[in-house]
Coordinates of all heavy atoms in Angstrom, one line a residue:
M7 N 107.0 90.6 94.9 CA 108.1 89.6 94.6 C 109.0 89.6 95.8 O 109.4 90.6 96.4 CB 108.8 90.0 93.4 CG 109.9 89.0 92.9 SD 110.9 89.6 91.5 CE 109.7 90.0 90.3
S8 N 109.4 88.4 96.2 CA 110.3 88.2 97.4 C 111.4 87.3 97.0 O 111.3 86.5 96.2 CB 109.5 87.6 98.6 OG 108.5 88.5 99.0
D9 N 112.6 87.5 97.7 CA 113.7 86.6 97.5 C 113.6 85.5 98.6 O 112.6 85.4 99.3 CB 115.0 87.4 97.6 CG 115.3 88.0 98.9 OD1 114.6 87.7 99.9 OD2 116.3 88.7 99.0
Q10 N 114.6 84.7 98.7 CA 114.6 83.6 99.6 C 114.5 84.0 101.1 O 114.1 83.2 101.9 CB 115.8 82.7 99.4 CG 115.8 82.0 98.1 CD 117.0 81.2 97.8 OE1 118.0 81.3 98.5 NE2 117.0 80.3 96.8
N11 N 115.0 85.2 101.4 CA 115.0 85.7 102.8 C 113.7 86.5 103.1 O 113.6 87.2 104.1 CB 116.2 86.6 103.0 CG 117.5 85.9 102.9 OD1 117.5 84.7 103.3 ND2 118.5 86.5 102.3
N12 N 112.7 86.4 102.2 CA 111.4 87.1 102.3 C 111.6 88.6 102.4 O 110.8 89.3 103.0 CB 110.6 86.6 103.6 CG 110.2 85.2 103.4 OD1 109.8 84.8 102.3 ND2 110.2 84.4 104.5
E13 N 112.6 89.1 101.7 CA 112.8 90.6 101.6 C 112.2 91.0 100.3 O 112.3 90.3 99.3 CB 114.3 90.9 101.7 CG 114.9 90.6 103.0 CD 116.4 90.9 103.1 OE1 116.9 91.5 102.1 OE2 117.0 90.6 104.1
T14 N 111.7 92.2 100.2 CA 111.1 92.7 99.0 C 112.2 92.9 98.0 O 113.2 93.6 98.3 CB 110.3 94.0 99.2 OG1 109.3 93.7 100.1 CG2 109.7 94.5 97.9
V15 N 112.0 92.5 96.8 CA 113.0 92.7 95.7 C 112.4 93.8 94.8 O 111.2 93.7 94.3 CB 113.2 91.4 94.8 CG1 114.1 91.7 93.7 CG2 113.8 90.3 95.7
S16 N 113.1 94.9 94.6 CA 112.5 96.1 93.9 C 112.8 96.1 92.5 O 112.3 96.9 91.8 CB 113.0 97.3 94.6 OG 114.4 97.4 94.5
V17 N 113.7 95.2 92.0 CA 114.0 95.3 90.5 C 113.3 94.1 89.8 O 113.5 92.9 90.2 CB 115.6 95.2 90.4 CG1 115.9 95.1 88.9 CG2 116.2 96.3 91.1
L18 N 112.6 94.4 88.8 CA 112.0 93.4 88.0 C 112.8 93.2 86.7 O 113.3 94.2 86.2 CB 110.6 93.9 87.6 CG 109.6 94.1 88.7 CD1 108.3 94.7 88.1 CD2 109.3 92.8 89.4
N19 N 112.8 92.0 86.2 CA 113.4 91.7 84.9 C 112.3 91.2 84.0 O 111.9 90.0 84.2 CB 114.6 90.8 85.1 CG 115.2 90.5 83.7 OD1 115.0 91.3 82.8 ND2 116.0 89.5 83.7
L20 N 111.9 92.0 83.1 CA 110.8 91.6 82.2 C 111.4 91.5 80.8 O 111.4 92.4 80.1 CB 109.7 92.6 82.3 CG 109.1 92.9 83.6 CD1 108.2 94.1 83.6 CD2 108.4 91.7 84.1
P21 N 111.8 90.3 80.4 CA 112.5 90.1 79.1 C 111.5 90.4 77.9 O 110.3 90.2 78.0 CB 112.9 88.6 79.1 CG 112.0 88.0 80.1 CD 111.6 89.0 81.1
G22 N 112.1 90.9 76.9 CA 111.3 91.1 75.7 C 110.7 92.5 75.5 O 110.0 92.7 74.5
L23 N 110.9 93.4 76.4 CA 110.3 94.7 76.4 C 111.2 95.7 75.7 O 110.7 96.8 75.3 CB 110.0 95.2 77.8 CG 108.8 94.5 78.4 CD1 108.7 95.0 79.9 CD2 107.6 94.7 77.7
Q24 N 112.5 95.4 75.5 CA 113.4 96.3 74.8 C 112.8 96.8 73.5 O 112.5 96.0 72.6 CB 114.7 95.6 74.6 CG 115.9 96.6 74.3 CD 116.3 97.4 75.5 OE1 116.1 97.0 76.6 NE2 116.9 98.5 75.2
T25 N 112.6 98.1 73.3 CA 112.1 98.8 72.2 C 110.6 98.6 71.9 O 110.1 99.1 70.9 CB 112.9 98.5 70.9 OG1 112.7 97.2 70.4 CG2 114.4 98.8 71.1
K26 N 109.9 97.8 72.7 CA 108.5 97.7 72.5 C 107.8 99.0 72.7 O 108.2 99.8 73.5 CB 107.9 96.6 73.4 CG 108.4 95.2 73.1 CD 108.0 94.8 71.8 CE 108.5 93.3 71.6 NZ 108.4 92.9 70.2
R27 N 106.7 99.3 71.9 CA 106.0 100.5 72.0 C 104.7 100.3 72.8 O 103.9 99.5 72.4 CB 105.7 101.0 70.6 CG 106.9 101.2 69.8 CD 106.6 101.2 68.3 NE 106.0 99.9 67.9 CZ 105.7 99.6 66.7 NH1 105.8 100.4 65.7 NH2 105.2 98.4 66.4
V28 N 104.6 101.0 74.0 CA 103.5 100.7 74.9 C 102.8 102.0 75.2 O 103.5 103.0 75.6 CB 104.0 100.1 76.2 CG1 102.9 99.8 77.1 CG2 104.8 98.8 75.9
A29 N 101.5 102.0 75.1 CA 100.7 103.2 75.5 C 100.0 102.9 76.8 O 99.5 101.8 77.0 CB 99.6 103.5 74.4
I30 N 99.9 103.9 77.7 CA 99.3 103.7 79.0 C 98.4 104.8 79.2 O 98.8 106.0 79.2 CB 100.4 103.7 80.1 CG1 101.4 102.6 79.8 CG2 99.7 103.5 81.5 CD1 102.7 102.8 80.5
T31 N 97.1 104.5 79.4 CA 96.1 105.5 79.7 C 96.2 105.8 81.1 O 96.5 105.0 81.9 CB 94.7 105.1 79.2 OG1 94.3 104.0 80.0 CG2 94.6 104.8 77.8
A32 N 95.8 107.1 81.5 CA 95.9 107.5 82.9 C 97.3 107.3 83.5 O 97.4 106.7 84.6 CB 94.8 106.9 83.8
G33 N 98.3 107.6 82.7 CA 99.6 107.3 83.0 C 100.4 108.3 83.8 O 101.6 108.2 84.0
A34 N 99.8 109.4 84.2 CA 100.5 110.5 84.8 C 100.7 110.3 86.3 O 101.4 111.0 87.0 CB 99.8 111.8 84.5
S35 N 99.9 109.4 86.9 CA 100.0 109.2 88.4 C 99.6 107.8 88.8 O 99.1 107.1 87.9 CB 99.2 110.3 89.1 OG 97.8 110.1 88.8
G36 N 99.8 107.5 90.0 CA 99.3 106.2 90.6 C 99.9 105.0 89.9 O 101.0 105.0 89.4
I37 N 99.0 104.0 89.7 CA 99.4 102.7 89.1 C 99.9 103.0 87.7 O 100.9 102.4 87.2 CB 98.3 101.7 89.1 CG1 98.0 101.3 90.6 CG2 98.6 100.5 88.3 CD1 96.7 100.5 90.8
G38 N 99.2 103.8 86.9 CA 99.6 104.0 85.5 C 101.0 104.6 85.4 O 101.8 104.2 84.6
F39 N 101.4 105.5 86.3 CA 102.7 106.1 86.3 C 103.8 105.1 86.7 O 104.8 105.0 86.0 CB 102.8 107.3 87.2 CG 104.1 108.0 87.2 CD1 104.6 108.7 86.1 CD2 104.9 107.8 88.4 CE1 105.9 109.2 86.2 CE2 106.2 108.4 88.4 CZ 106.7 109.1 87.3
T40 N 103.5 104.3 87.7 CA 104.4 103.3 88.1 C 104.6 102.2 87.0 O 105.8 101.8 86.7 CB 103.9 102.6 89.4 OG1 103.7 103.5 90.4 CG2 104.8 101.5 89.8
I41 N 103.6 101.9 86.3 CA 103.7 100.9 85.2 C 104.6 101.6 84.1 O 105.5 100.9 83.5 CB 102.3 100.6 84.6 CG1 101.6 99.7 85.6 CG2 102.5 99.9 83.2 CD1 100.1 99.5 85.2
A42 N 104.4 102.9 83.8 CA 105.2 103.5 82.8 C 106.7 103.6 83.2 O 107.5 103.3 82.4 CB 104.7 105.0 82.6
Q43 N 106.9 103.8 84.5 CA 108.3 103.8 85.0 C 109.0 102.4 84.8 O 110.1 102.3 84.3 CB 108.4 104.2 86.4 CG 108.2 105.6 86.7 CD 108.2 105.9 88.2 OE1 107.5 105.3 89.0 NE2 109.1 106.9 88.6
V44 N 108.3 101.4 85.2 CA 108.8 100.0 85.1 C 109.1 99.7 83.7 O 110.2 99.1 83.3 CB 107.9 99.0 85.8 CG1 108.3 97.6 85.5 CG2 107.9 99.2 87.3
L45 N 108.1 99.9 82.8 CA 108.3 99.6 81.4 C 109.4 100.4 80.7 O 110.2 99.8 80.0 CB 107.0 99.8 80.6 CG 105.9 98.8 81.0 CD1 104.6 99.2 80.3 CD2 106.2 97.4 80.8
R46 N 109.5 101.7 81.1 CA 110.6 102.5 80.5 C 112.0 102.0 81.0 O 112.9 101.9 80.3 CB 110.4 103.9 81.0 CG 111.5 104.9 80.4 CD 112.1 105.9 81.4 NE 112.3 105.4 82.7 CZ 112.1 106.1 83.9 NH1 111.6 107.3 83.8 NH2 112.3 105.6 85.0
D47 N 112.0 101.6 82.3 CA 113.3 101.0 82.9 C 113.7 99.7 82.2 O 114.9 99.4 82.2 CB 113.2 100.9 84.4 CG 113.1 102.2 85.1 OD1 113.4 103.2 84.5 OD2 112.8 102.1 86.3
Q48 N 112.7 99.0 81.6 CA 113.0 97.8 81.0 C 113.3 98.0 79.5 O 113.5 97.0 78.7 CB 111.8 96.8 81.1 CG 111.6 96.4 82.6 CD 112.7 95.6 83.2 OE1 113.2 94.7 82.5 NE2 113.1 95.9 84.4
G49 N 113.3 99.2 79.0 CA 113.7 99.5 77.7 C 112.5 99.8 76.7 O 112.7 99.9 75.5
A50 N 111.3 99.8 77.2 CA 110.1 100.0 76.3 C 110.1 101.5 76.0 O 110.5 102.3 76.7 CB 108.8 99.6 77.0
R51 N 109.5 101.8 74.8 CA 109.2 103.1 74.4 C 107.8 103.4 74.9 O 106.8 102.8 74.5 CB 109.3 103.3 72.9 CG 110.8 103.0 72.4 CD 110.9 102.9 70.9 NE 110.5 104.2 70.3 CZ 110.1 104.3 69.1 NH1 110.0 103.2 68.3 NH2 109.8 105.4 68.6
V52 N 107.6 104.4 75.7 CA 106.4 104.6 76.5 C 105.7 105.9 76.0 O 106.3 106.9 75.8 CB 106.7 104.7 78.0 CG1 105.4 105.1 78.8 CG2 107.3 103.4 78.5
A53 N 104.3 105.7 75.8 CA 103.5 106.9 75.6 C 102.4 106.9 76.7 O 101.8 105.8 77.0 CB 102.8 106.8 74.2
I54 N 102.2 108.0 77.3 CA 101.2 108.1 78.3 C 100.2 109.2 78.0 O 100.5 110.2 77.3 CB 101.7 108.4 79.7 CG1 102.5 109.7 79.8 CG2 102.6 107.2 80.2 CD1 102.9 110.2 81.2
C55 N 98.9 109.0 78.4 CA 98.0 110.1 78.3 C 97.3 110.3 79.7 O 97.3 109.3 80.5 CB 97.0 109.9 77.2 SG 95.7 108.6 77.5
D56 N 96.8 111.4 79.9 CA 96.0 111.7 81.1 C 95.2 113.0 81.0 O 95.6 113.9 80.2 CB 97.0 111.9 82.3 CG 96.4 111.6 83.7 OD1 95.6 112.4 84.1 OD2 96.7 110.5 84.2
A57 N 94.1 113.1 81.6 CA 93.3 114.3 81.6 C 93.9 115.4 82.4 O 93.6 116.6 82.1 CB 91.9 113.9 82.0
D58 N 94.7 115.1 83.4 CA 95.3 116.1 84.3 C 96.6 116.6 83.7 O 97.6 116.0 83.8 CB 95.5 115.4 85.7 CG 96.0 116.4 86.7 OD1 96.6 117.5 86.4 OD2 95.9 116.1 87.9
G59 N 96.5 117.8 83.2 CA 97.6 118.4 82.5 C 98.8 118.7 83.4 O 100.0 118.4 83.0
A60 N 98.6 119.1 84.6 CA 99.7 119.4 85.5 C 100.4 118.1 85.9 O 101.6 118.0 85.9 CB 99.2 120.1 86.8
A61 N 99.6 117.0 86.2 CA 100.2 115.7 86.5 C 101.0 115.2 85.3 O 102.0 114.5 85.5 CB 99.2 114.8 87.0
L62 N 100.4 115.4 84.2 CA 101.1 114.9 82.9 C 102.4 115.5 82.7 O 103.4 114.9 82.4 CB 100.1 115.1 81.7 CG 100.5 114.5 80.4 CD1 100.5 113.0 80.5 CD2 99.7 115.0 79.3
E63 N 102.5 116.8 82.9 CA 103.7 117.6 82.7 C 104.8 117.0 83.7 O 105.9 116.8 83.3 CB 103.5 119.1 83.0 CG 104.8 119.9 82.8 CD 105.4 119.8 81.5 OE1 104.7 119.7 80.5 OE2 106.7 120.0 81.4
K64 N 104.4 116.9 85.0 CA 105.3 116.3 86.0 C 105.8 114.9 85.6 O 107.0 114.6 85.7 CB 104.7 116.3 87.4 CG 105.6 115.8 88.5 CD 104.9 115.9 89.8 CE 105.8 115.3 90.9 NZ 105.2 115.0 92.1
A65 N 104.9 114.1 85.2 CA 105.2 112.7 84.8 C 106.2 112.7 83.6 O 107.1 111.9 83.6 CB 103.9 111.9 84.5
S66 N 105.9 113.6 82.7 CA 106.7 113.6 81.5 C 108.2 114.0 81.8 O 109.1 113.4 81.3 CB 106.1 114.7 80.5 OG 107.0 114.8 79.4
V67 N 108.3 114.9 82.7 CA 109.7 115.3 83.2 C 110.4 114.1 83.9 O 111.5 113.8 83.6 CB 109.6 116.5 84.1 CG1 111.0 116.8 84.7 CG2 109.2 117.8 83.3
E68 N 109.6 113.5 84.7 CA 110.2 112.4 85.5 C 110.5 111.1 84.6 O 111.5 110.5 84.8 CB 109.3 111.9 86.6 CG 109.2 112.9 87.8 CD 108.4 112.5 88.9 OE1 108.5 111.3 89.3 OE2 107.7 113.3 89.5
L69 N 109.7 110.9 83.6 CA 109.9 109.7 82.7 C 111.0 110.0 81.7 O 111.6 109.1 81.2 CB 108.6 109.3 82.0 CG 107.6 108.7 82.9 CD1 106.3 108.6 82.2 CD2 108.0 107.3 83.4
G70 N 111.2 111.3 81.4 CA 112.2 111.6 80.4 C 111.7 111.4 79.0 O 110.6 112.0 78.7
D71 N 112.3 110.6 78.2 CA 112.0 110.5 76.8 C 110.7 109.6 76.6 O 110.8 108.4 76.4 CB 113.1 109.9 76.0 CG 112.8 109.8 74.5 OD1 112.0 110.6 74.0 OD2 113.4 108.9 73.8
C72 N 109.6 110.3 76.7 CA 108.3 109.6 76.5 C 107.3 110.5 75.8 O 107.5 111.7 75.8 CB 107.7 109.1 77.8 SG 106.8 110.3 78.7
L73 N 106.3 110.0 75.1 CA 105.3 110.8 74.6 C 104.2 111.0 75.6 O 103.8 110.0 76.3 CB 104.7 110.1 73.4 CG 103.4 110.7 72.7 CD1 103.8 112.1 72.2 CD2 102.9 109.8 71.7
A74 N 103.9 112.2 75.9 CA 102.9 112.6 76.9 C 101.8 113.5 76.3 O 102.2 114.5 75.8 CB 103.6 113.3 78.1
V75 N 100.6 113.0 76.3 CA 99.5 113.7 75.6 C 98.4 113.9 76.6 O 97.9 113.0 77.3 CB 99.0 112.9 74.4 CG1 97.8 113.6 73.8 CG2 100.1 112.6 73.4
Q76 N 98.0 115.2 76.7 CA 96.8 115.5 77.6 C 95.6 115.0 76.8 O 95.3 115.5 75.7 CB 96.7 116.9 77.9 CG 95.6 117.2 78.9 CD 95.6 118.6 79.5 OE1 96.4 119.4 79.2 NE2 94.6 118.9 80.3
A77 N 94.9 114.0 77.3 CA 93.7 113.5 76.7 C 92.8 112.8 77.7 O 93.3 112.1 78.6 CB 94.1 112.5 75.6
D78 N 91.5 112.9 77.5 CA 90.5 112.2 78.3 C 90.1 111.1 77.4 O 89.4 111.4 76.3 CB 89.4 113.1 78.7 CG 88.3 112.4 79.5 OD1 88.2 111.1 79.4 OD2 87.5 113.1 80.2
V79 N 90.4 109.8 77.6 CA 90.1 108.8 76.7 C 88.6 108.6 76.5 O 88.2 107.9 75.5 CB 90.8 107.4 77.1 CG1 92.3 107.6 77.0 CG2 90.3 107.0 78.4
S80 N 87.8 109.2 77.3 CA 86.3 109.1 77.0 C 85.9 109.9 75.8 O 84.9 109.6 75.2 CB 85.5 109.5 78.2 OG 85.6 110.9 78.4
D81 N 86.8 110.9 75.3 CA 86.4 111.6 74.1 C 87.6 112.0 73.3 O 87.4 112.5 72.2 CB 85.5 112.8 74.4 CG 86.2 113.8 75.4 OD1 87.4 113.8 75.5 OD2 85.4 114.6 75.9
D82 N 88.8 111.9 73.7 CA 90.0 112.3 73.0 C 90.9 111.2 72.6 O 92.1 111.4 72.2 CB 90.9 113.3 73.9 CG 90.2 114.6 74.2 OD1 89.3 115.0 73.4 OD2 90.5 115.1 75.3
V83 N 90.4 110.0 72.6 CA 91.3 108.8 72.4 C 91.9 108.8 71.0 O 93.0 108.4 70.8 CB 90.5 107.5 72.7 CG1 89.5 107.2 71.7 CG2 91.5 106.4 72.8
D84 N 91.2 109.3 70.0 CA 91.7 109.3 68.6 C 92.9 110.2 68.5 O 93.9 109.8 67.9 CB 90.6 109.7 67.6 CG 89.6 108.6 67.4 OD1 89.8 107.5 67.7 OD2 88.4 109.0 67.0
A85 N 92.9 111.3 69.1 CA 94.0 112.3 69.1 C 95.2 111.6 69.7 O 96.4 111.8 69.2 CB 93.6 113.6 69.8
F86 N 95.0 110.9 70.8 CA 96.2 110.3 71.5 C 96.8 109.2 70.6 O 98.0 109.2 70.4 CB 95.7 109.6 72.8 CG 96.7 108.8 73.5 CD1 98.0 109.3 73.8 CD2 96.5 107.5 73.9 CE1 99.0 108.6 74.5 CE2 97.4 106.7 74.6 CZ 98.7 107.3 74.9
F87 N 96.0 108.3 70.0 CA 96.5 107.3 69.2 C 97.1 107.8 67.9 O 98.0 107.2 67.3 CB 95.5 106.1 69.0 CG 95.4 105.3 70.3 CD1 94.3 105.4 71.1 CD2 96.4 104.5 70.7 CE1 94.1 104.7 72.2 CE2 96.3 103.8 71.9 CZ 95.2 103.9 72.6
D88 N 96.6 108.9 67.4 CA 97.2 109.5 66.2 C 98.6 110.0 66.5 O 99.5 109.8 65.7 CB 96.4 110.7 65.7 CG 95.1 110.3 65.0 OD1 94.9 109.1 64.7 OD2 94.2 111.2 64.9
Q89 N 98.8 110.5 67.7 CA 100.1 111.0 68.1 C 101.1 109.8 68.4 O 102.3 109.9 68.1 CB 100.0 111.9 69.3 CG 99.4 113.3 68.9 CD 99.5 114.3 70.1 OE1 100.6 114.4 70.6 NE2 98.4 114.9 70.4
V90 N 100.5 108.7 69.0 CA 101.3 107.5 69.2 C 101.8 107.0 67.8 O 103.0 106.6 67.7 CB 100.5 106.5 69.9 CG1 101.2 105.1 69.9 CG2 100.2 106.9 71.4
Q91 N 100.9 106.9 66.9 CA 101.3 106.4 65.5 C 102.3 107.3 64.9 O 103.3 106.8 64.4 CB 100.0 106.4 64.6 CG 100.3 105.9 63.2 CD 100.8 104.5 63.1 OE1 100.4 103.6 63.8 NE2 101.8 104.3 62.2
A92 N 102.2 108.6 65.0 CA 103.1 109.5 64.4 C 104.5 109.5 65.1 O 105.5 109.5 64.4 CB 102.6 111.0 64.5
R93 N 104.5 109.4 66.4 CA 105.8 109.5 67.1 C 106.5 108.1 67.2 O 107.7 108.0 67.1 CB 105.6 110.1 68.5 CG 106.8 110.0 69.4 CD 107.5 111.3 69.6 NE 108.5 111.2 70.6 CZ 108.5 111.7 71.8 NH1 107.5 112.4 72.2 NH2 109.5 111.5 72.6
L94 N 105.7 107.1 67.5 CA 106.3 105.7 67.8 C 106.2 104.8 66.6 O 106.8 103.8 66.6 CB 105.6 105.1 69.0 CG 105.7 105.8 70.3 CD1 105.0 105.0 71.4 CD2 107.2 106.2 70.7
G95 N 105.4 105.2 65.6 CA 105.3 104.3 64.4 C 104.4 103.1 64.6 O 104.4 102.2 63.8
G96 N 103.6 103.1 65.6 CA 102.7 102.0 65.9 C 102.7 101.7 67.4 O 103.2 102.4 68.2
L97 N 102.1 100.6 67.7 CA 101.9 100.2 69.1 C 102.0 98.7 69.2 O 101.5 97.9 68.4 CB 100.5 100.6 69.5 CG 100.1 100.7 70.9 CD1 101.1 101.6 71.7 CD2 98.7 101.1 71.1
D98 N 102.8 98.2 70.2 CA 102.9 96.8 70.5 C 102.0 96.4 71.6 O 101.6 95.2 71.7 CB 104.3 96.5 70.9 CG 105.3 96.7 69.7 OD1 105.0 96.1 68.6 OD2 106.2 97.5 69.8
A99 N 101.7 97.3 72.6 CA 100.8 97.0 73.7 C 100.1 98.2 74.2 O 100.6 99.3 74.1 CB 101.7 96.4 74.8
L100 N 98.9 97.9 74.8 CA 98.1 99.0 75.4 C 97.8 98.6 76.8 O 97.4 97.5 77.1 CB 96.8 99.2 74.6 CG 95.8 100.1 75.3 CD1 96.2 101.5 75.5 CD2 94.4 100.0 74.6
I101 N 98.0 99.5 77.8 CA 97.6 99.3 79.1 C 96.5 100.3 79.4 O 96.8 101.5 79.5 CB 98.8 99.4 80.1 CG1 99.8 98.4 79.8 CG2 98.2 99.3 81.6 CD1 101.0 98.4 80.6
N102 N 95.3 99.8 79.4 CA 94.1 100.7 79.5 C 93.8 100.8 81.0 O 93.0 100.0 81.6 CB 92.9 100.1 78.7 CG 91.8 101.1 78.6 OD1 92.0 102.3 78.8 ND2 90.6 100.6 78.3
N103 N 94.4 101.7 81.6 CA 94.4 101.9 83.1 C 93.2 102.6 83.6 O 92.8 103.7 83.1 CB 95.7 102.6 83.5 CG 95.8 102.9 85.0 OD1 95.3 102.1 85.8 ND2 96.4 104.0 85.3

């Protein structure tokens, strides 16, 4: 995104995300983590999962109030979504990263 002076604008305004419940797979690093940060900053309630426990712990601390579950979605996806349901009461969006 650029402004009229072709300078990078770092703040996004994504209306309608306040209190939305969003799950992000592979959310502990890279694109998934950046998406989680942006959505959290816009007021979404974020749940992330990742197979890498150390990266997940670090991401959880940096994101603050989020659900962080160590899970490999190739075989642990039910456990992740059970925890999303229990903690967030449902889901409004999924980012399958």
Side-chain angles (χ1 to χ4, degrees):
M7 185 185 307
S8 298
D9 66 8
Q10 293 176 346
N11 297 322
N12 292 325
E13 294 177 8
T14 301
V15 176
S16 62
V17 177
L18 296 175
N19 183 16
L20 304 170
L23 289 174
Q24 195 72 23
T25 71
K26 295 298 182 190
R27 302 161 298 181
V28 183
I30 304 160
T31 63
S35 62
I37 292 170
F39 179 71
T40 300
I41 291 169
Q43 286 179 307
V44 169
L45 293 176
R46 183 225 37 221
D47 290 348
Q48 297 295 316
R51 297 172 62 204
V52 175
I54 61 172
C55 74
D56 205 286
D58 183 339
L62 188 67
E63 179 64 29
K64 182 179 178 194
S66 175
V67 169
E68 288 185 40
L69 289 170
D71 184 27
C72 78
L73 173 62
V75 177
Q76 185 171 357
D78 179 341
V79 295
S80 67
D81 60 17
D82 296 331
V83 71
D84 290 337
F86 175 53
F87 286 106
D88 287 347
Q89 290 189 49
V90 169
Q91 177 64 37
R93 170 105 177 253
L94 302 181
L97 194 59
D98 296 302
L100 166 66
I101 298 176
N102 193 18
N103 179 33

